[in-house]
Amino acid sequence: MQTIDKQATVKIAIDLGLTEDEFERIVEILGRTPNFTELSIFSVMWSEHCSYKNSIHWLKTLPRNGSRLLVEAGEENAGLVDIGDGLACAFKIESHNHPSAIEPYQGAATGVGGIHRDIFTMGARPIAALNSLRFGNLDLPHTRRLVRGVVHGIGDYGNCFGVPTVGGEVYFHPCYNQNILVNAMSVGIVKAGETVSAIAEGIGNPVFIVGSATGKDGIHGATFASADLTEDSADDLPAVQVGDPFQEKLLLEATLEAIQTGAIVGMQDMGAAGITCSTSEMSAKGKCGMRVYLDKVPTRQANMKDWEILLSESQERMLIVAKKGEEQLLLNVFDKWDLECAEIGEVTGTGQLEYYYHGELVAKVPAEALVLGGGAPVYKREYKKPDYIEQAARFKPNAINAPADYIETARKVFSAPNIVSKRWIYQQYDSMVRTNTMTTNSPSDAAVVRVKGTRKALAMTTDCNPMYVQADPYIGAMIAVAEAARNIVCSGGEPVAITNCLNFGNPYNPEVYWQFVQAIKGMGDACRKFDTPVTGGNVSFYNQSVLKDRTEPVYPTPTIGMLGILDDASRHMTLDFKAPRHQIYMIGTPQNDIACSEYLRIIHGVELSPAPYFDIDEEFHIQHNLKALIREGMIASAHDVSEGGLFTALVESAMVRGLGFEVETDTNFRKDAYWFGESQSRVVVSVALDIEDDLVNYLNAHNVPFTKLGEVKGTHIVIDGLDHGPLSDWKNLYDHTLGEKMEA
């Protein structure tokens, strides 16, 4: 095994994204100067994307224990939650931001493929997909091109793979003009006790690579994801992987069948850093080593170099450690599905990863030294509060004049890109494949999917308002958790756990790191309050654009993917008004609060203001009692008040069945705050006349604040006696505005 001059190697290390201190640490670990292949291995495994070196200290402060959790956070490819009836749910969310910003179709498609593999590698069958997307100014042709590419990538991969895309969220803001965010979530079901661990054990056990052949796509993808986007990032296009959903479908079925043979010791998806990551993480977890023969890896291209094979992120591949003597069982299964299954090495007891290429030892590194929780570096960066936080605190709502024309104001707010229906997007996704989705035609605040063979259903959602988090990262992150829980509760579910995707700018920027730390603290406090432990997830730093004259971080976007359980699917609660003469109530307390609202941004052009009103104890109290109301059958619909305020929530509840409403303003509040403010912990519910008294008595008895708004009536929107026009006009505006912009 050859090495090169140390001084020259330092420069190579820096070019690969390592620091001089990290290089010296590698020399100390190896006891010698590393060669290029070894440097490449360390560069990807010690990249932010794989090692979480700038975030793990704070991630460990998040609550990670719960009675339903079957594995600890970060222990496996995805979180695993006991849902009863001998079943468990595996779920996780991850980012594919930089690849999607450079090549939106393949970037988004392979993000979907990768997160599904994390689920079925554990032995779970994916039953649902969600996503959380952030784009720039929709008036820009560049933004519309990115939207088209990302949406087509998600839709084509998911539809071909055969897993329904059941929910998600989309936000538009200029801070994402260059660096979009594409977060993908997968949810799967597995019988308890039939999961597979990402571990290597048993000296002499054979190591297999299965699935697609290895190509040059995706090389150094982990390093690419751990650097700023610049005007030259398009030159890194080879770092974007290429996906094949039909191959992944075969791999899914073959993998689940192979698990049933009992011949598998451990298995891991080859995602970021490819063979390097899977061999090192599985070996470190099993406290063993591996001897790998890279020339035995099936390749798509001739004459690939050893480091190219090691670092390739070609999609639809798995690493499997099998039981010695039972190899043929695996070979038979993968041959049946017409997939490659090549033995490339064996487990050793040395703790070393030894990579050979055509008989030559090209790299030898200790597995433990490479991985998170082992020898990978851990940093605590300096942080400081940005000046803009104090500026936001000086916002004076009384300086904002009330609108002269409330109908026109309502139209402008309601037609904003962040408010209107995203049907142009979600109609390109198949939400009904596998026939378990309950919310395609009966919408609720969270997506709800039946668990076949049981009375249960799973509720799931992705949530984060980045404007709130930018205004106050601590409160904004708490709101993200609270709103996710509120959406689950409004749908009839019990929130049980979260996965997160933490999208931030450069961690070396003290102001960005302050946002990150505060968001982690807020998320942790909220998760402890709602008893929704963190099962795992993803940190994505370096989400910013480096332009010629400035650096622009995205707004901090800690996306929450939350799972909830309905023990009885018949208790699914929808958001739509059900019948004329049903009475409309708002549970929760209105506030004279317009801070950080779409109304404030769109109508008054104010970008800087505090986060909206939020009290976590009040939120918990509202959700606790809302669960009881649904359980006792006291309400006919439930829909949370969020972006766009009370007006938007009412119209969204009315449009589903075309039922109008007549409501009145509470004159104790500013009218614009009452209808368009986004203060938290509020839910619009409707109730049949004959049980209205029961509802009121319950709310009074349990000290739940409420306001009677009006009733379901006619086909128009009437506020304070003023006809705002037929509901059909508002529905047309809601349904078609985004599509018209996209087709412009």
Side-chain angles (χ1 to χ4, degrees), residues 603-620:
I603 303 301
H604 299 284
V606 176
E607 186 74 24
L608 208 56
S609 63
Y613 171 85
F614 176 71
D615 182 290
I616 196 165
D617 293 323
E618 182 179 336
E619 177 78 45
F620 184 83

Side-chain angles (χ1 to χ4, degrees), residues 31-53:
R32 56 179 169 79
T33 303
N35 63 28
F36 178 77
T37 299
E38 290 166 336
L39 268 184
S40 295
I41 290 170
F42 275 99
S43 76
V44 294
M45 291 307 297
W46 285 9
S47 69
E48 186 68 44
H49 193 71
C50 291
S51 74
Y52 294 163
K53 58 189 176 185

Side-chain angles (χ1 to χ4, degrees), residues 48-212:
E48 186 68 44
H49 193 71
C50 291
S51 74
Y52 294 163
K53 58 189 176 185
N54 289 308
S55 59
I56 189 62
H57 169 78
W58 291 103
L59 294 178
K60 286 181 176 179
T61 67
L62 292 170
R64 308 198 298 175
N65 297 307
S67 60
R68 289 183 178 266
L69 299 194
L70 299 176
V71 298
E72 289 189 14
E75 184 179 317
E76 297 293 350
N77 287 326
L80 194 66
V81 173
D82 183 0
I83 62 171
D85 291 337
L87 297 174
C89 176
F91 71 113
K92 189 181 182 183
I93 190 169
E94 278 199 343
S95 64
H96 228 223
N97 301 336
H98 283 25
S100 300
I102 299 299
E103 212 300 297
Y105 181 88
Q106 289 294 350
T110 52
V112 172
I115 196 64
H116 282 317
R117 283 196 303 282
D118 279 340
I119 299 304
F120 69 77
T121 303
M122 293 180 67
R125 179 177 291 277
I127 63 166
L130 300 91
N131 53 67
S132 176
L133 311 177
R134 303 290 185 276
F135 297 103
N137 183 349
L138 195 54
D139 292 329
L140 299 176
H142 173 70
T143 297
R144 295 196 294 272
R145 180 185 69 83
L146 291 173
V147 173
R148 290 188 194 99
V150 166
V151 171
H152 290 163
I154 292 172
D156 286 357
Y157 202 103
N159 296 350
C160 294
F161 183 57
V163 172
T165 301
V166 300
E169 55 170 2
V170 185
Y171 281 86
F172 299 93
H173 191 278
C175 75
Y176 304 107
N177 277 349
Q178 301 299 323
N179 199 136
I180 63 175
L181 303 182
V182 176
N183 298 173
M185 179 174 169
S186 179
V187 179
I189 297 291
V190 61
K191 288 183 179 178
E194 293 190 6
T195 55
V196 174
S197 181
I199 193 170
E201 291 179 311
I203 296 173
N205 277 338
V207 177
F208 288 85
I209 187 170
V210 303
S212 295

